[in-house]
Amino acid sequence: MPTHPNPYRQDLDRNAANHVPLTPLSLLDWAADIFPERCAVIHGALRLSWAQVRERSRRLASALRAMDIGEGDTVAVMLPNTPPMAEAHFGVPMSRAVLHCINTRLDAATVAFVLDHSDSKVLIADREFSPTVKVALEQLRAQGKRVPAVIDVDDPEYDGPGERLGPIEYETFIAGGNASFAGLAPEDEWDAIGLNYTSGTTGNPKGVVVHHRGAYLNALGNVLSWNLPRHPVYLWTLPMFHCNGWCFPWTLAAVAGTSVCLRKVDAALIFSLMREHRVSHYCGAPIVHSLLISAPAALRSGIDWPVKAMVAGAAPPAAMIEGMATLGFDVTHVYGLTEVYGPSAACAKHDDWAVRPLAEQVDLNGRQGTRTQVQEGCTVLDPQTMQEVPRDGQTMGEVMFRGNVVMKGYLKNPKATQEAFADGWFHTGDLGVLHPDGYVKLKDRAKDIIISGGENISSIEVEDALYKHPAVMAAAVVARPDDKWGETPMAFVELRADHQPADAAAEAALAQAIIEHCRVHLARFKCPREVRFTELPKTSTGKIQKHLLRAQVKSASAIG
């Protein structure tokens, strides 16, 4: 090794001319400078250009600064996919505050918890959610906690119930801001840009802190992993509060795209907006895509151009991927968590896959894939030895990430942060295998594995078999206590509208038929012993809440 001084480190330092912190705020300036008149946002009759989005975001930032909001402060938002939500992704960090997006389906007690835990000084809330917000604020007052200043959003596209809770409405608030305010770039790209709370299925939710550098990189990573062209028309079926909309508010600035806003997921409305605006791209959980697949053919008519869909979930069922192909939509499968800014792995397709039989294409595209170009590592490791598992498609380990697109950590929770980053990797808690080509395939969450007679049963594998039955709209499999085997699979099934049984006898017959169907696709010990028909509990992002189903089974077992 050379012992002389490295000339490339002498007199070659960072300065204002050659180094600026990476931040997605720069993407807004690019879009507004290069394509100022291009449509950036569509919401009902409203059209906003990229120049107008920047102006409104600057006004928001300026108005927040006038409230003495800045470095280290938190601004919470409880908003649907509307223009103020898109603007908050730029305007809040422009003030150097941190954007805290609240899940709009949380109960009042949890909203109160996250507002308090995050020390949110301001809350921008849509009138639709005022009943929950009002109770949450009352709880904070009763506990002697800080109550954030409320800025109401009265969306003209919303005509439902709800009241204003604060002294000022959003449009009036930003009108008082300075349109010439250039915004404040972060001093350090490691500075926090966002705070997103995990679902908290056990105990209180954890606050995931993400930084400007990771948000910038993942915003561009979406372009690369999806081969996103310039000026896409993107429909917001994915909640922007979920992992900051997988960073797509910032991605769309990078390609000067158009956001088509959507307050709620509705198949008829989605297809209508697709036809009206010639939508080219959308994202969502498997349940969103399944909703579109099962919609009446009349709703889907008239869409004769390529539509690209991105799907993410613990593992989208093979039947969903096959259904998208039948629909004619090109689906890209991605994988990630809140802690890695949303999608940080993608199932990158190979040219030769397109000529393979459909069943083989479904298997290949159903994998979680490998790291995106902006992530350094995504693999499956033995959590005890921290060695990569054999690439045999059989040996299970824990899926782990590392790289620039990984959170700073959990807010005010050093113990959980240290555990998550043990041995230099982010531990996802997901179990998976590695295929010979290095692609990851999820098998289950660690807590969802069913151990029956000493054998591990992947609930995802059983669910995949269930989804192949024509009557099944959605399915979830959990463990049921069994005196002989310890645990056996139990299936909760949400039926398609055209397969509802007429009476109890027909219901029993259908349940048995579904079990027999599983026996065709699975080893007998993996098949559910019981099928229960019900509407499955889901999060606002479409994820099935298995912990609620496990609680039902546990309660029934205790009674029995």
Side-chain angles (χ1 to χ4, degrees), residues 379-390 397-402 418-428:
T379 190
V380 180
L381 304 178
D382 182 318
Q384 302 302 316
T385 66
M386 293 302 292
Q387 298 298 305
E388 189 172 272
V389 301
E398 185 176 1
V399 182
M400 301 192 193
F401 284 97
R402 69 175 171 191
Q418 291 166 7
E419 290 173 352
F421 292 153
D423 299 303
W425 287 84
F426 167 62
H427 296 242
T428 67

Side-chain angles (χ1 to χ4, degrees), residues 181-483:
F181 178 65
L184 300 172
E187 293 183 354
D188 187 335
E189 60 190 22
W190 179 247
D191 287 347
I193 189 173
L195 174 66
N196 300 291
Y197 281 82
T198 59
S199 56
T201 56
T202 56
N204 288 323
K206 298 191 291 289
V208 175
V209 181
V210 294
H211 48 73
H212 283 258
R213 177 181 177 86
Y216 176 88
L217 289 171
N218 212 40
L220 297 183
N222 286 333
V223 178
L224 295 170
S225 61
W226 210 6
N227 195 24
L228 197 63
R230 188 161 291 178
H231 311 316
V233 180
Y234 180 91
L235 179 61
W236 275 103
T237 50
L238 174 77
M240 281 192 226
F241 67 69
H242 182 52
C243 307
N244 298 107
W246 298 353
C247 295
F248 272 93
W250 302 311
T251 294
L252 289 165
V255 290
T258 300
S259 288
V260 180
C261 294
L262 182 70
R263 287 188 66 100
K264 65 177 182 178
V265 172
D266 175 84
L269 182 56
I270 287 171
F271 285 119
S272 175
L273 289 172
M274 282 185 174
R275 281 189 294 271
E276 181 181 358
H277 303 297
R278 204 172 176 84
V279 167
S280 60
H281 294 76
Y282 75 97
C283 299
I287 191 66
V288 175
H289 303 283
S290 296
L291 179 70
L292 301 185
I293 292 166
S294 61
L299 292 181
R300 308 196 304 259
S301 65
I303 300 174
D304 55 2
W305 60 89
V307 176
K308 296 186 182 296
M310 184 177 279
V311 60
M320 188 280 296
I321 295 175
E322 186 174 354
M324 292 299 289
T326 304
L327 194 62
F329 288 9
D330 179 25
V331 63
T332 296
H333 182 192
V334 295
Y335 163 67
L337 305 91
T338 305
E339 289 87 343
V340 292
Y341 298 72
S344 275
C347 189
K349 300 175 184 178
H350 293 250
D351 292 342
D352 64 307
W353 291 6
V355 298
R356 300 192 187 189
L358 180 58
E360 192 173 343
Q361 291 184 46
V362 167
D363 287 340
L364 291 168
N365 289 320
R367 300 179 298 174
Q368 276 59 41
T370 186
R371 69 187 187 280
T372 62
Q373 295 94 324
V374 296
Q375 188 65 286
E376 293 303 309
C378 174
T379 190
V380 180
L381 304 178
D382 182 318
Q384 302 302 316
T385 66
M386 293 302 292
Q387 298 298 305
E388 189 172 272
V389 301
R391 298 188 173 194
D392 56 10
Q394 300 293 326
T395 306
M396 280 202 295
E398 185 176 1
V399 182
M400 301 192 193
F401 284 97
R402 69 175 171 191
N404 293 300
V405 189
V406 175
M407 66 173 178
K408 287 169 70 82
Y410 297 114
L411 183 67
K412 304 175 186 176
N413 197 337
K415 182 176 182 293
T417 300
Q418 291 166 7
E419 290 173 352
F421 292 153
D423 299 303
W425 287 84
F426 167 62
H427 296 242
T428 67
D430 286 331
L431 302 180
V433 298
L434 279 178
H435 283 261
D437 59 2
Y439 278 44
V440 173
K441 171 69 175 177
L442 284 194
K443 288 298 182 181
D444 228 327
R445 291 289 295 175
K447 63 178 178 292
D448 290 339
I449 282 286
I450 300 165
I451 305 174
S452 184
E455 297 286 344
N456 287 349
I457 301 174
S458 163
S459 66
I460 290 173
E461 183 181 5
V462 182
E463 288 159 7
D464 244 355
L466 288 164
Y467 275 106
K468 292 175 182 177
H469 192 282
V472 175
M473 172 74 174
V477 174
V478 299
R480 183 184 70 174
D482 186 272
D483 292 338

Side-chain angles (χ1 to χ4, degrees), residues 466-518:
L466 288 164
Y467 275 106
K468 292 175 182 177
H469 192 282
V472 175
M473 172 74 174
V477 174
V478 299
R480 183 184 70 174
D482 186 272
D483 292 338
K484 181 178 181 180
W485 302 107
E487 294 178 338
T488 56
M490 178 173 178
F492 289 84
V493 169
E494 190 171 322
L495 295 171
R496 296 184 184 276
D498 56 351
H499 283 79
Q500 297 292 332
D503 50 36
E507 182 175 301
L510 180 56
Q512 188 57 41
I514 289 175
I515 293 172
E516 294 300 328
H517 161 86
C518 289

Side-chain angles (χ1 to χ4, degrees), residues 127-156:
R127 186 167 56 84
E128 179 181 0
F129 311 121
S130 62
T132 300
V133 171
K134 183 176 183 179
V135 175
L137 298 180
E138 289 172 350
Q139 290 180 1
L140 290 175
R141 291 189 186 96
Q143 297 165 12
K145 303 288 183 64
R146 176 204 297 273
V147 178
V150 177
I151 299 168
D152 293 298
V153 174
D154 197 353
D155 181 8

